[in-house]
Amino acid sequence: PLTFILTGIPGLMVSSYWMALPLCCLYLLMLLGNGTLLWTIRTDHSLHTPMYYFLSMLAVADLGLSLSTLPTMLAIFWFESTSLCFEACIVQMYFIHSFSAIESGVLVAMAFDRFVAICHPLCYASVLTSSLMKKAGAAIFTRGICVVLPVAILIKKMPFCRSRVLSHSFCLHQDMLRLVCGDVRVNSLYGLTAVLLTKGLDSLTILLSYVMIIRAILNIISQEARAKAFSTCISHLCAVLVFYFPLIGLSVIHRFGKRLPPLTHTLLADAYLLVPPLLNPLVYSWKTKQIRRRILILLC
């Protein structure tokens, strides 16, 4: 059976328990933080607002990303198991890219929420109804599931006859594609189209939203009201930067940075998949006292 060999950290021995223990703590923090977000939003009726419903979707996407990379990361560093069968690799690749597309879509929905709240505050309740939020959530998850499905189907039909050593501790489409020994033009074209229609379009939408938000904030006369309006966007801005910066960096080096050291690719891929699920609960708990209180209770 076709198997791939996963890579831990270049230059580091596979049997690295001093690395495995912090990694376990990192995953526990991810699961605890996002689980606490979901629990707090569900049980605290004061948080049953559109912004926090979108935040719960973000926590679900972060949990999906964390659980997608968890099996192979821990298998490599705890059990020295670096081989992964072809079908399992495709399944992991599919879930990683699907939850990434879902998270990108949720960030767009949160940007729309902030746009309506600041630019059209009187219409907020009438625009962001529960029906609209349900439809938006269904559309975001359906898009993430359907857009990535052809990627998995196309690469499953490809012949692999070169080295089967992947560059990361998990399976990514770009990484698997470089090991194919057939014609990959269709795969590359569809992969690029999927990225442009999801994360590319999403990032432009978020940018446009914040251009209008900043223009509306600058038109506010009161300095205090202006600062208060901007403070409601800080958490979302942090989530956007934490998600898109590693993503853009990883995409650039996969296409143009083939001569860079392997460690650069590994660290950017790890940051892209591990940092957002870890930092998003911390960012939003800092801004929301109900969530902050629950996290402090659990930690103590």
Side-chain angles (χ1 to χ4, degrees):
L2 179 61
T3 58
F4 290 106
I5 306 299
L6 301 173
T7 304
I9 297 178
L12 188 70
M13 292 178 62
V14 173
S15 179
S16 303
Y17 294 108
W18 65 270
M19 182 65 189
L21 187 58
L23 193 63
C24 283
C25 295
L26 190 69
Y27 274 105
L28 285 174
L29 285 174
M30 290 179 196
L31 299 176
L32 179 65
N34 289 288
T36 304
L37 272 181
L38 290 171
W39 176 50
T40 305
I41 293 169
R42 180 180 175 82
T43 56
D44 194 327
H45 292 283
S46 66
L47 300 180
H48 290 183
T49 61
M51 184 178 76
Y52 289 102
Y53 281 127
F54 289 135
L55 179 57
S56 65
M57 294 182 201
L58 186 68
V60 169
D62 283 335
L63 281 173
L65 272 179
S66 301
L67 294 174
S68 297
T69 58
L70 175 66
T72 52
M73 292 282 281
L74 293 186
I76 289 172
F77 291 104
W78 269 122
F79 306 108
E80 304 178 35
S81 176
T82 58
S83 61
L84 187 67
C85 71
F86 180 55
E87 288 77 12
C89 195
I90 287 181
V91 169
Q92 185 184 48
M93 179 208 70
Y94 173 75
F95 279 112
I96 287 174
H97 290 291
S98 291
F99 280 113
S100 179
I102 289 169
E103 180 155 351
S104 180
V106 173
L107 290 174
V108 172
M110 296 175 83
F112 178 71
D113 171 84
R114 292 298 85 205
F115 165 73
V116 177
I118 293 173
C119 299
H120 304 283
L122 298 179
C123 303
Y124 186 80
S126 60
V127 172
L128 288 169
T129 60
S130 59
S131 174
L132 179 66
M133 287 187 293
K134 289 176 183 177
K135 290 177 182 177
I140 289 167
F141 279 86
T142 302
R143 186 190 71 161
I145 291 168
C146 295
V147 167
V148 183
L149 188 59
V151 173
I153 293 173
L154 286 170
I155 203 165
K156 194 176 189 307
K157 298 178 180 180
M158 290 287 104
F160 290 86
C161 52
R162 298 178 187 172
S163 167
R164 294 172 186 173
V165 179
L166 296 173
S167 305
H168 307 294
S169 305
F170 33 77
C171 298
L172 294 177
H173 179 248
Q174 308 96 311
D175 202 16
M176 294 178 68
L177 205 59
R178 69 180 179 83
L179 303 181
V180 174
C181 60
D183 187 359
V184 296
R185 283 179 294 180
V186 175
N187 301 64
S188 296
L189 182 60
Y190 181 80
L192 180 60
T193 304
V195 170
L196 291 176
L197 290 177
T198 53
K199 292 155 191 174
L201 190 60
D202 291 348
S203 59
L204 289 176
T205 305
I206 292 171
L207 180 61
L208 180 62
S209 299
Y210 270 99
V211 167
M212 292 186 285
I213 287 170
I214 291 170
R215 189 172 64 178
I217 290 175
L218 293 177
N219 288 332
I220 299 174
I221 298 173
S222 170
Q223 286 288 112
E224 184 179 351
R226 189 183 297 177
K228 185 177 180 181
F230 184 72
S231 68
T232 63
C233 302
I234 290 177
S235 298
H236 180 253
L237 275 173
C238 291
V240 169
L241 294 176
V242 162
F243 179 77
Y244 278 104
F245 271 12
L247 171 63
I248 293 170
L250 184 63
S251 300
V252 169
I253 67 168
H254 262 297
R255 294 191 179 275
F256 307 109
K258 295 180 180 179
R259 295 184 180 180
L260 290 174
L263 183 61
T264 307
H265 294 252
T266 301
L267 291 179
L268 266 177
D270 290 347
Y272 161 53
L273 294 176
L274 302 180
V275 172
L278 178 66
L279 291 187
N280 285 338
L282 298 177
V283 168
Y284 280 94
S285 65
W286 170 60
K287 292 292 294 180
T288 309
K289 63 180 181 180
Q290 295 96 321
I291 299 173
R292 183 168 64 247
R293 191 187 306 123
R294 296 287 178 93
I295 289 180
L296 289 174
I297 289 171
L298 287 175
L299 290 177
C300 295

